[in-house]
């Protein structure tokens, strides 16, 4: 059986030997293909003194957990520097994680040696943001798209060209242009080449790091549509990284919002966009300019976030968003808000989680953390044990009744 | 920043130690037996060779010899050389087989000549190169630009020794436009003789090297003039002169500093053709001479000193960087 | 638009062609029939062709279009920042009633920064990495004011403070790399405004910034505009930014203006297929997320050899509604739109409003069809930023 047959087969039927951990369901009721738990990446910061001691760490990714369902898409959004790309690079093992696990097809990617990782690279591919610098200008399109086929010996040498042409066709480029160089293509077309290259190995998971951010809206729409077609045709799961919430919404049934290395809100599209419970998500949503709103008579009120994102080397104590949060109270500085499941497929990390305008006066988390409303340890009360499940539990914390249940 | 420079200094010293070990290894294990250098072929009995080796201390363990060799860096030594004992004053890098004198001092005596040639030449090629490069960059695409670029390519195509030799033959010997070349101490012989003897070498070095600098600084300047911040400077309403000098040139100088540092270090190690053609007794000629005579201590010392120049040049370039670019200084 | 003698669309107050000295209502900037070409090794790049528009004091003009449509080239021409030796320019650019096209560099430099200032896209590359932020601002001030360094420095601190840099007194001595992206753009704005210019051209000022920072910068620009009463040209490819900032919008395609009108006209009654394409391709936060996005097919044309007739025709899905081969053969003129004065579009389509309401809107915003047919959009916006009365003093004009 050739490699491509294997890949084809696995696309049709579930791979045998599923480990129990991956058997959990996510929002769509499908199997999780990637299950990330408490993933961390710290980059050491060296002193400038005589001896270069490590004086601190850039806490680029600091304990994120999420799942990507087979054939589905998880959107990862947040401002630049919040750790989106680092997360993507950890999953493709361009970086080695500091700690945490990344279960993929029953294997923990975090623990695989470089050698053991090689066959996995076929299954997990990446698309990059910059269509201008991510393609080698001295290689023809045929070489660029054909190289992964040759390296992994997916098809016999004689069939590489045929396969390359097929791939170019799939991404909407003229298959006869395999002999051209990247500079003969426009930005959108180059991004299509990048997609063809990523598809060459028929991966099961594609990490797309801001694939359309550098493109014009008109072209952006072409590429998003293409990615969608590709996803449907080949049943590929996506980790889709972007900073534009509107684009993510069109591509991903599930969205995670990151701030300073942590996920602050994650859930099904509907929950995050229409019932955002985290102040940061609410601010992001209100900040993106809205053509239609403006056209029919004015913009929505914008939430003005003051200042800049603090340094990930020395992030604020407690809730990392507190330096810019208009709701912040004492407890926010003292206690880190847990990522609490508040609905069937919705988690949020805020002491005062609620829809915009309804934020409670008292922290909802204090009883769970065993503290008083100021975040000081309350004598006699003990914290509850929080779930570490990267997916969603059957029971969750109901914000109205302030109890755990499933309704 | 201070820590950075100190780190670079330490790294530089380590490089020099490594070089000294390599040099020593060549000396010790290389194809040329040092003892043979003292032994006229006809009378070289094995017995005599062994004696010589013992005399020179060549029969002792290598590490011991290396330590002794390096001790010359901190103190003066007495060296047995071919039966006579020679004073080798600090800093001592050994004694020449040929001349029976301290090789360091032998080379050091020739340093002023080499330095004068190098410094004068560098000034010439920096001035010619930078000015024509910047001039060409500002007139990119015009006839003046094309003329400068093609002249530079043309000169570059002529081998340097040919250019220098022809200049010497015609301008000194033939037409007598320049006085006889050579090195005269500016202190002992007076500045006129000094300049007169070196004017033509300087000019030749200036012309030969400036072609490279013209094209290089032209490229750097073209890049700098295309930078966004230069456009910002113009958009502020600054005078073109200020835009070019304060904004573009400051950025264009960075890559030029890099290659200049290395070029100058190489020049300091001796300009072989220049010294040979113009009859200047500099370090380059001494090095050549040492190689021809298999004067191993001289070759070792010459290599070490050249390496030291390059290491120092690199550190100076780094310091210059940090002066020019605050991003380096404040990193 | 140079080829015909068609009458100019009604221009309303203050004729464009005869600016009278000092009258407050006169447009501060008048661009007429501007053409910019670059001779290159591959041929002549026709970056801007026959462009006309004007901007009044205190108003904001938004210029939108895909990358390569000539937005930056046209505004750099206003600043006189094209290298005269490598650029062919014709037409007329009048700043404060004075012709500046072809002005000698030493005369032009007195206008740059003083009367017209510019804010660039990427503040990291637009600020000189080797000089302190404060020094770069005071340098801009001293270029036009004969003051001492310390006076200019005080001015720089004042401006940094004004644009919301915390601890301006100490941050004035920082280098650009020590600022965050948002702070750098604030510093650029401070530098642009230090000489109190009458016109600020902001070329994609927020494209390189995050949305929350973009929101801060847009707010700041609006606030400063009120204080300084300067005209603003905001260049962007983001219709959302235009919707929030601009009084008037000019849509550019392949170096030409293809539609012009008040922001409200353009956003609620667009009449040109390219504008429709731009509006449709923006992913909408309220639309059905599972619906496909509606891109413009194909790619922007090469300006070395722009398409004949209507430059948009190779990508236009409505060509078949135009009789004959007109779209391919004949360049459409700018003709008045159907919804109010001052709105012009460059298209042969016979009944664009009907097509928009029947074909485009149902796809992108079915909830707006009713409103659009009856033109029931509120006249005043919540923030008073867009859609005040349609201003018609700044429209492109036929010769
Ligand atoms: N290789 C690296 N070394 C040190 N720090 C890094 C490295 N890569 C990223 N970082 C830092 O980690 C943080 C997160 O970066 P990144 O994941 O690229 O963010 P995003 O993609 O969300 O913009 C940033 O503060 C960035 O400076
Ligand atoms: N100096 C130049 N030489 C040659 N072509 C240029 C030059 N500047 C811009 N162009 C071309 O002019 C066209 C318009 O560019 P520009 O105005 O920068 O577009 P945008 O609308 O994205 O700002 C582009 O095709 C660009 O390649
Ligand atoms: S935990 Fe506190 S600071 Fe953090 S988002 Fe919630 S209210 Fe704001
Ligand atoms: S003129 Fe023709 S091709 Fe151009 S936009 Fe109008 S309908 Fe389309
Ligand atoms: Mg990133
Ligand atoms: Mg531009």
């Amino acid at each position: 059986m050739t490699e491509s047959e294997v890949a084809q087969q696995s696309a049709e039927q579930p791979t045998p030997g599923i480990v129990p951990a991956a058997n959990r369901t996510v929002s769509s009721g499908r199997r999780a293909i990637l299950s990330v738990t408490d993933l961390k990446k710290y980059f050491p910061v060296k002193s400038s003194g005589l001896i270069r001691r490590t004086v601190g760490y850039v806490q680029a990714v600091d304990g994120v957990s999420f799942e990507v369902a087979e054939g589905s898409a998880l959107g990862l959004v947040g401002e630049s520097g919040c750790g989106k790309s680092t997360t993507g690079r950890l999953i493709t093992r361009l970086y080695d994680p500091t700690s945490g696990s990344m279960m993929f097809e029953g294997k923990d990617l975090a623990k695989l040696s470089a050698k053991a990782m090689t066959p996995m690279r076929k299954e997990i591919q990446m698309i990059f943001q910059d269509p201008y610098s991510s393609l080698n200008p001295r290689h023809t399109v045929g070489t660029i798209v054909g190289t992964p086929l040759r390296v992994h010996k997916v098809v016999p040498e004689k069939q590489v060209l045929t396969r390359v042409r097929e791939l170019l066709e799939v991404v909407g480029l003229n298959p006869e242009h395999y002999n051209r160089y990247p500079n003969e293509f426009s930005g959108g077309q180059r991004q299509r080449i990048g997609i063809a290259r990523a598809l060459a190995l028929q991966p099961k998971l594609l990490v797309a790091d801001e694939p359309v951010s550098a493109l014009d809206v008109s072209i952006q729409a072409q590429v998003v549509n293409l990615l969608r077609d590709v996803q449907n045709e080949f049943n590929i799961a996506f980790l889709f990284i972007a900073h534009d919430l509107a684009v993510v919404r069109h591509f991903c049934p599930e969205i995670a919002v990151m701030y300073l290395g942590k996920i602050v809100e994650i859930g099904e599209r509907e929950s995050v966009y229409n019932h955002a419970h985290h102040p940061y998500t609410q601010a992001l949503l209100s900040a993106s300019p809205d053509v239609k709103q403006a056209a029919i008579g004015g913009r929505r009120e914008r939430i003005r976030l003051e200042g800049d994102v603090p340094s990930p080397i020395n992030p604020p104590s407690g809730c990392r968003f507190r330096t810019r949060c208009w709701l912040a109270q004492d407890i926010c500085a003292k206690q880190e808000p847990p990522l609490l499941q508040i609905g069937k497929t919705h988690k949020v990390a805020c002491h005062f989680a609620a829809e915009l305008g309804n934020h409670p006066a008292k922290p909802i988390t204090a009883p769970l953390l065993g503290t008083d409303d100021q975040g000081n340890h309350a004598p006699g009360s003990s914290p509850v044990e929080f779930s570490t499940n990267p997916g969603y539990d059957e029971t969750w914390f109901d914000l109205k009744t302030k109890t755990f249940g499933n309704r | 920043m201070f820590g950075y420079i100190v780190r670079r200094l330490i790294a530089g010293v380590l490089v020099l130690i490594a070089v000294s070990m390599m040099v020593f290894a060549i000396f010790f294990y290389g194809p040329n037996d040092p003892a043979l250098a003292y032994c006229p072929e006809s009378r070289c009995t094995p017995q005599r060779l062994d004696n010589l080796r013992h005399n020179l201390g060549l029969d002792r363990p290598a590490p011991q010899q290396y330590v002794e060799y390096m001790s010359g860096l901190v103190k003066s030594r007495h060296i047995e050389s071919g039966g006579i004992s020679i004073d080798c004053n600090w800093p001592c890098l050994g004694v020449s087989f040929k001349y029976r004198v301290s090789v360091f001092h032998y080379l050091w005596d020739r340093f002023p000549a080499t330095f004068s040639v190098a410094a004068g030449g560098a000034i010439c090629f920096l001035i010619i190169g930078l000015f024509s490069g910047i001039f060409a960059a500002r007139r990119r695409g015009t006839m003046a630009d094309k003329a400068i670029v093609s002249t530079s390519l043309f000169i570059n195509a002529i081998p340097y020794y040919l250019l220098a030799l022809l200049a010497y033959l015609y301008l000194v010997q033939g037409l007598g436009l320049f006085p006889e070349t050579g090195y005269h101490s500016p202190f002992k012989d007076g500045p006129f003789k000094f300049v007169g003897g070196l004017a033509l070498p300087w000019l030749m070095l200036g012309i030969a090297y400036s072609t490279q600098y013209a094209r290089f600084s032209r490229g750097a300047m073209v890049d700098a003039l295309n930078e966004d911040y230069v456009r910002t400077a113009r958009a502020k309403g600054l005078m073109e002169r200020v835009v070019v000098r304060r904004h573009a040139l400051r950025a264009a100088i960075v890559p030029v500093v890099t290659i200049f540092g290395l070029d100058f270090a190489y020049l300091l190690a001796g300009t072989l053709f220049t010294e040979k053609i113009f009859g200047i007794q500099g370090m380059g000629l001494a090095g050549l001479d040492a190689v021809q005579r298999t004067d191993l201590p001289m070759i070792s010392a010459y290599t070490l000193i050249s390496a030291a120049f390059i290491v120092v040049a690199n550190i100076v370039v780094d310091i210059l960087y940090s002066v020019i670019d605050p991003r380096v200084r404040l990193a | 638009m140079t080829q015909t003698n068609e009458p100019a669309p009604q221009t309303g107050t203050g004729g464009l062609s005869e600016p009278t000295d000092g009258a407050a209502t006169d447009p501060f900037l008048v661009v007429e029939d501007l053409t910019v070409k670059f001779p290159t090794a591959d041929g002549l790049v026709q970056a801007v062709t026959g462009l006309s528009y004007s901007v009044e004091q205190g108003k904001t003009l938004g210029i939108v279009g895909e990358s390569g449509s000539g937005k930056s080239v046209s505004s750099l021409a206003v600043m006189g920042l094209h290298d005269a030796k490598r650029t062919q320019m014709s037409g007329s650019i009048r700043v404060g009633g004075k012709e500046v096209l072809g002005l000698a560099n030493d005369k032009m430099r007195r206008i740059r920064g003083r009367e017209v200032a510019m804010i660039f896209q990427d503040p990291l590359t637009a600020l000189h990495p080797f000089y302190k932020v404060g020094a770069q601002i005071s340098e801009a001030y001293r270029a036009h004011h004969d003051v001492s360094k310390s006076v200019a420095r005080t001015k720089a601190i004042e401006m940094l403070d004004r644009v919301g840099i915390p601890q301006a007194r100490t941050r004035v001595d920082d280098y650009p790399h020590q600022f965050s992206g948002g702070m750098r753009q604030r510093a650029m704005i401070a530098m642009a405004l230090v000489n109190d210019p009458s016109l600020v051209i902001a070329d994609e000022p927020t494209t390189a910034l995050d949305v929350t920072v973009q929101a801060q910068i847009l707010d700041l620009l609006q606030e400063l505009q009120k204080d300084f009463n300067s005209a603003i040209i905001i260049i962007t490819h983001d219709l959302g930014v235009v919707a929030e900032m601009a009084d008037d919008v000019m849509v550019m395609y392949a170096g030409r203006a293809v539609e012009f009108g008040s922001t409200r006209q353009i956003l609620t009654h667009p009449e040109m297929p390219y504008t429709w394409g731009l509006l449709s391709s923006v992913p909408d936060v309220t639309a059905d997320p599972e619906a496909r996005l509606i891109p413009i097919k194909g790619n922007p044309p090469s300006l070395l050899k722009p398409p004949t007739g209507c430059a948009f025709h190779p990508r236009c899905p409505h060509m078949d509604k135009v009789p004959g081969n007109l779209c391919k053969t004949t360049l459409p003129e700018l003709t008045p739109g159907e919804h109010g004065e001052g709105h012009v579009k460059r298209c042969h389509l016979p009944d664009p409003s009907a097509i928009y309401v029947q074909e485009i809107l149902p796809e992108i915003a079915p909830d707006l069809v009713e409103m659009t047919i009856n033109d029931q959009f509120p006249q005043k916006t919540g923030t008073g930023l867009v859609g005040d009365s349609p201003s018609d003093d700044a429209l492109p004009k036929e010769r």
Side-chain angles (χ1 to χ4, degrees):
Chain A
M1 194 159 59
T2 67
E3 299 269 8
S4 61
E5 277 167 332
V6 173
Q8 207 158 8
Q9 194 186 45
S10 58
E12 280 156 12
Q13 49 187 250
T15 324
I18 310 156
V19 294
N23 224 346
R24 247 179 266 110
T25 55
V26 286
S27 45
S28 47
R30 279 172 295 178
R31 199 168 63 81
I33 189 168
L34 174 73
S35 192
V36 171
T37 311
D38 206 21
L39 187 64
K40 292 186 183 172
K41 178 66 187 177
Y42 289 4
F43 295 104
V45 181
K46 302 282 188 190
S47 73
S48 62
L50 184 49
I51 300 160
R52 310 214 70 188
R53 281 170 304 122
T54 298
V55 289
Y57 292 93
V58 178
Q59 305 178 13
V61 174
D62 196 16
V64 302
S65 303
F66 58 82
E67 285 187 345
V68 183
E70 194 174 56
S72 179
L74 172 70
L76 208 52
V77 295
E79 286 172 284
S80 56
C82 70
K84 306 182 296 294
S85 297
T86 305
T87 307
R89 284 160 178 263
L90 286 169
I91 289 164
T92 46
R93 278 292 294 274
L94 293 173
Y95 291 152
D96 290 333
T98 305
S99 71
S101 75
M102 307 184 285
M103 299 304 295
F104 179 84
E105 309 236 287
K107 294 197 183 91
D108 187 351
L109 300 179
K111 299 203 170 56
L112 291 186
S113 64
K115 192 156 165 253
M117 191 62 204
T118 313
M120 305 308 279
R121 292 197 194 280
K122 229 172 61 176
E123 317 260 333
I124 309 174
Q125 289 287 308
M126 195 154 177
I127 309 172
F128 298 92
Q129 167 171 5
D130 188 352
Y132 292 89
S133 64
S134 56
L135 304 177
N136 187 334
R138 279 180 295 277
H139 288 172
T140 63
V141 170
T143 314
I144 290 170
V145 177
T147 299
L149 295 171
R150 294 198 178 90
V151 168
H152 289 269
K153 300 200 175 56
V154 177
V155 291
E157 181 63 36
K158 265 187 272 166
Q159 285 167 35
V160 167
L161 186 60
T162 324
R163 188 82 190 101
V164 165
R165 288 194 203 177
E166 276 168 30
L167 285 163
L168 291 180
E169 183 107 55
V170 166
V171 298
L173 292 172
N174 185 340
E176 297 316 314
H177 287 177
Y178 65 87
N179 245 338
R180 301 198 173 179
Y181 289 88
N183 66 351
E184 298 173 60
F185 294 88
S186 68
Q189 289 171 322
R190 286 181 211 212
Q191 202 53 293
R192 288 172 191 268
I193 298 170
I195 294 169
R197 172 175 60 184
L199 289 180
L201 297 171
Q202 302 190 319
K204 296 202 180 69
L205 175 66
L206 250 178
V207 176
D209 191 356
E210 313 237 11
V212 296
S213 302
L215 307 175
D216 274 312
V217 270
S218 53
I219 307 298
Q220 194 171 315
Q222 293 177 359
V223 174
V224 170
N225 284 346
L226 169 66
L227 287 176
R228 247 205 210 183
D229 295 342
V230 161
Q231 176 176 37
N232 291 338
E233 194 174 333
F234 303 102
N235 195 34
I236 300 172
F238 270 78
L239 180 66
F240 190 96
I241 299 171
H243 60 255
D244 181 343
L245 281 97
V247 172
V248 174
R249 182 171 168 277
H250 268 270
F251 194 78
C252 306
E254 200 186 352
I255 280 120
V257 180
M258 282 185 81
Y259 188 82
L260 263 186
K262 289 191 183 287
I263 291 180
V264 295
E265 185 155 14
I266 180 169
E268 220 179 340
R269 170 163 53 203
E270 154 77 8
S271 322
V272 173
Y273 281 85
N274 300 343
H275 306 285
H277 273 58
H278 196 284
Y280 180 61
T281 314
Q282 291 159 359
L284 274 185
L285 283 168
S286 88
S288 40
D290 183 346
V291 186
K292 220 161 89 183
Q293 280 290 332
I296 62 170
R299 63 187 188 192
R300 289 154 301 160
E301 258 324 293
R302 217 151 50 189
I303 301 168
R304 247 181 195 257
L305 281 189
E306 301 292 335
D308 293 306
V309 183
S311 155
I313 298 175
N314 218 335
S317 65
C319 173
R320 295 188 170 186
F321 184 55
R322 72 178 163 84
T323 52
R324 300 171 80 197
C325 180
W326 67 99
L327 295 168
Q329 292 186 24
D330 286 354
I331 188 172
C332 303
K334 288 180 190 145
Q335 300 290 338
E336 181 181 337
L339 187 62
L340 195 61
Q341 186 171 341
I342 59 161
K344 195 165 188 296
T345 51
H346 192 183
K347 293 184 190 179
V348 61
C350 171
H351 295 301
F352 298 90
E355 288 195 44
L356 189 56
N358 296 327
H359 294 285
K362 285 178 190 292
I364 52 157
T365 49
L368 306 175
L369 294 164
T371 67
D372 63 15
D373 289 351
Q374 280 69 49
N376 300 312
H377 187 72
S381 65
S382 57
V384 302
E385 193 141 323
F386 291 103
S387 165
T388 53
N389 182 354
Y392 298 97
D393 288 326
E394 294 302 317
T395 59
W396 59 87
F397 186 75
D398 188 278
L399 288 179
K400 285 204 191 71
T401 62
K402 308 239 180 332
T403 52
F404 283 91
N406 61 1
R407 182 50 263 177
Chain B
M1 182 56 221
F2 175 74
Y4 174 70
I5 290 173
V6 174
R7 262 199 315 280
R8 290 304 314 262
L9 276 172
I10 292 173
V13 170
L14 291 178
V15 166
L16 285 181
I17 291 176
V19 170
S20 72
M21 284 180 170
M22 266 153 57
V23 161
F24 187 78
I26 292 168
F27 182 94
F28 201 75
Y29 299 107
N32 294 302
D33 187 341
L36 276 175
Y38 283 95
C39 186
E41 263 164 60
S42 49
R43 288 189 289 139
C44 227
T45 60
Q47 170 67 36
R48 193 171 148 71
L49 267 181
D50 278 347
N51 272 344
L52 265 173
R53 288 204 182 98
H54 181 76
N55 243 332
L56 290 168
L58 292 174
D59 52 355
R60 278 172 295 157
Q64 193 186 343
Q65 288 193 56
Y66 177 71
V67 169
E68 197 161 307
Y69 177 61
M70 293 311 282
S71 73
L73 285 179
V74 289
K75 63 172 183 30
S76 304
R77 289 170 62 198
H78 284 287
I79 291 180
E80 297 289 327
S81 179
I84 45 172
S85 170
I86 294 166
D87 277 336
C88 178
N89 288 336
W90 176 87
C92 172
L93 290 176
V95 164
S96 162
F97 290 165
K98 176 76 194 154
Y99 303 109
R100 308 280 162 99
V101 293
S102 158
V103 286
F104 179 84
H105 294 94
Y106 181 83
L107 290 171
W108 191 244
D109 284 344
R110 293 164 165 251
F111 182 68
T114 297
F115 182 81
S116 304
V117 172
I123 290 170
C124 283
F125 69 67
L126 270 187
I127 291 176
I128 304 176
L130 279 179
F131 271 87
S132 51
I134 291 162
F135 182 87
R138 290 190 55 195
R139 287 161 187 73
R140 188 157 56 96
T142 62
M143 289 309 291
D145 175 27
K146 284 177 188 139
I148 287 173
V149 171
S150 42
T151 311
S152 116
L153 285 171
F154 175 73
I155 296 176
N156 219 27
I158 309 172
Y160 171 66
Y161 59 85
L162 191 63
L163 194 72
L165 198 60
L166 288 176
Y168 179 74
L169 289 178
Y170 283 94
L171 301 180
V172 180
Q173 305 264 312
L175 299 173
L177 284 179
F178 286 86
E180 182 58 52
T181 55
Y183 175 72
H184 308 278
S185 162
F187 309 107
K188 267 192 267 153
D189 307 321
F192 291 110
K193 252 188 138 183
F194 168 71
V195 173
L198 291 178
L200 193 60
W202 285 341
L203 195 63
M204 286 300 108
L205 276 178
I207 289 173
Y209 272 82
S210 68
T211 59
Q212 180 196 348
Y213 278 79
R215 275 174 294 137
F216 202 72
S217 55
R218 177 186 177 276
M221 195 67 186
V222 165
D223 286 348
L225 285 170
N226 278 329
E227 288 284 354
D228 280 3
Y229 50 76
V230 170
R231 190 183 54 192
T232 308
R234 291 212 174 94
K236 290 199 275 199
L238 300 181
M239 281 181 285
E240 187 62 16
R241 188 163 43 88
V242 180
V243 172
V244 170
R245 286 201 203 145
R246 208 184 297 165
H247 291 260
L249 190 57
R250 172 103 183 248
I253 212 79
V254 172
V256 177
V257 163
T258 317
I259 59 162
F260 177 72
L262 282 182
D263 275 348
F264 193 63
Y266 285 127
L267 282 181
L268 283 185
T271 48
L272 201 63
F273 288 127
T274 312
E275 290 174 13
K276 185 108 188 152
I277 292 168
F278 297 109
I280 297 159
Q281 292 303 313
M283 300 208 330
L285 276 185
L288 180 69
D289 179 59
V291 171
Q292 282 165 349
R293 298 172 192 276
T294 331
D295 192 348
L296 286 170
M298 190 75 88
I299 296 174
S300 314
Y302 180 74
T303 313
L304 259 182
I305 290 174
S306 307
F309 284 144
I310 290 168
V311 165
V312 169
N314 269 320
I315 293 171
V316 170
V317 164
D318 279 342
I319 293 172
L320 279 180
Y321 270 162
S322 70
V323 170
I324 299 173
D325 188 344
R327 287 170 299 183
V328 177
R329 182 171 4 149
L330 301 172
Chain C
M1 58 207 275
T2 48
Q3 301 95 321
T4 67
N5 331 316
E6 229 176 288
Q10 243 329 86
T11 57
T13 51
L16 275 184
S17 31
E18 321 117 57
T20 39
D21 289 359
T25 50
D26 272 345
F28 177 73
L29 171 72
V30 182
V31 174
E32 269 181 346
D33 198 21
L34 176 69
T35 295
V36 185
K37 295 178 185 163
F38 300 105
T40 66
D42 301 327
L44 202 58
V45 178
Q46 303 174 30
V48 173
T49 313
L51 190 67
S52 302
Y53 64 88
S54 62
V55 192
E56 233 184 77
Q57 200 73 57
K59 293 279 184 186
T60 302
L61 169 70
I63 304 183
V64 289
E66 283 165 295
S67 43
S69 55
K71 306 182 297 291
S72 300
V73 167
S74 58
S75 53
L76 289 172
V78 172
M79 295 286 292
L81 283 177
H82 287 301
D83 184 346
K85 286 191 228 80
R86 263 183 290 282
T87 318
Q88 301 172 2
M89 284 194 279
S90 67
S92 157
I93 299 171
R94 288 193 299 280
V95 173
K98 193 163 54 190
E99 178 64 49
V100 300
L101 194 76
L103 207 60
N105 193 40
D106 56 331
K107 294 221 177 67
M108 190 65 214
R109 87 156 185 88
R110 284 174 218 283
I111 294 170
R112 275 186 220 135
R114 166 107 227 192
E115 289 176 50
V116 189
M118 194 151 178
I119 300 166
F120 297 100
Q121 171 172 351
D122 186 352
L124 181 61
T125 57
L127 290 166
H128 202 298
F130 297 172
Y131 295 103
K132 290 172 180 167
V133 172
Q136 300 191 45
I137 297 173
S138 18
E139 185 184 39
Y141 191 60
R142 273 160 54 95
H144 303 285
H145 294 82
D146 190 12
V147 295
S148 71
K149 278 198 173 154
S150 71
V151 172
R153 184 188 153 86
T154 315
K155 182 78 184 170
I157 295 172
E158 181 196 317
M159 286 308 297
L160 284 175
D161 192 52
R162 185 71 197 74
V163 297
I165 303 278
Q167 288 129 35
R169 201 160 288 283
T170 52
R171 301 308 294 260
V172 71
D173 288 324
D174 276 1
Y175 288 94
H177 74 273
Q178 293 167 305
F179 273 27
S180 70
M183 276 163 56
R184 281 183 210 125
Q185 198 57 295
R186 283 171 195 269
M188 274 302 292
I189 293 173
M191 192 193 295
L193 292 178
V194 70
N195 291 307
D196 195 6
S198 305
L199 171 67
V200 176
I201 302 177
D203 190 351
E204 314 236 7
T206 59
T207 306
L209 304 175
D210 279 310
V211 274
T212 62
V213 181
Q214 161 166 313
Q216 295 173 355
I217 297 291
L218 294 182
D219 281 349
L220 176 69
L221 276 176
Q222 286 175 349
E223 192 187 312
L224 292 171
Q225 180 174 29
K226 281 200 205 101
D227 293 2
F228 289 75
N229 190 36
S230 47
I232 294 183
I233 295 179
I234 185 157
I235 297 172
T236 173
H237 59 256
D238 188 341
L239 281 165
V241 170
V242 155
E244 292 201 358
M245 297 287 294
D247 300 304
D248 298 298
V249 180
M250 176 163 71
V251 182
M252 286 188 73
Y253 190 76
R256 288 180 196 271
V258 293
E259 187 158 11
F260 186 99
S262 69
T263 305
R264 190 167 160 278
Q265 285 167 335
I266 298 292
L267 293 182
T268 62
H269 299 292
E271 295 187 10
M272 154 85 195
Y274 178 62
T275 315
W276 296 343
L278 285 182
L279 283 167
S280 310
S281 50
V282 180
D284 183 352
V285 246
T286 53
D288 171 16
E290 284 303 325
R292 286 177 77 77
L293 294 175
I294 309 163
I296 304 177
K297 71 175 187 203
N299 291 292
S302 154
L303 295 176
L304 284 168
K305 216 170 153 279
T308 56
C310 170
F312 189 55
H313 85 252
R315 304 172 74 189
C316 182
H318 301 282
M319 222 166 69
D320 53 347
K321 302 190 184 75
V322 176
N325 227 355
L326 221 52
C327 294
K328 283 188 186 159
T329 57
T330 314
L331 173 71
E333 294 307 319
L334 280 175
T335 47
E338 294 163 14
H339 292 270
E341 285 184 355
H343 183 186
V344 287
K345 86 278 182 174
R346 190 187 286 284
C347 176
H348 292 304
L349 270 188
D351 191 1
S353 297
I355 299 173
Y356 178 63
V357 171
Q358 284 158 20
E359 291 184 25
I360 311 297
L361 260 189
E363 290 260 358
I364 60 171
D367 48 322
L368 296 188
V369 175
E370 250 341 80
M371 277 176 113
T372 308
I373 292 174
N374 303 324
D375 199 8
Q376 285 166 332
F377 299 102
Q379 285 295 311
K380 282 280 175 195
T381 70
T383 54
L385 291 174
V386 286
D388 318 86
S389 55
S391 75
D392 44 19
D393 41 31
L395 75 170
K397 166 182 174 298
E398 300 293 324
R399 273 204 138 177

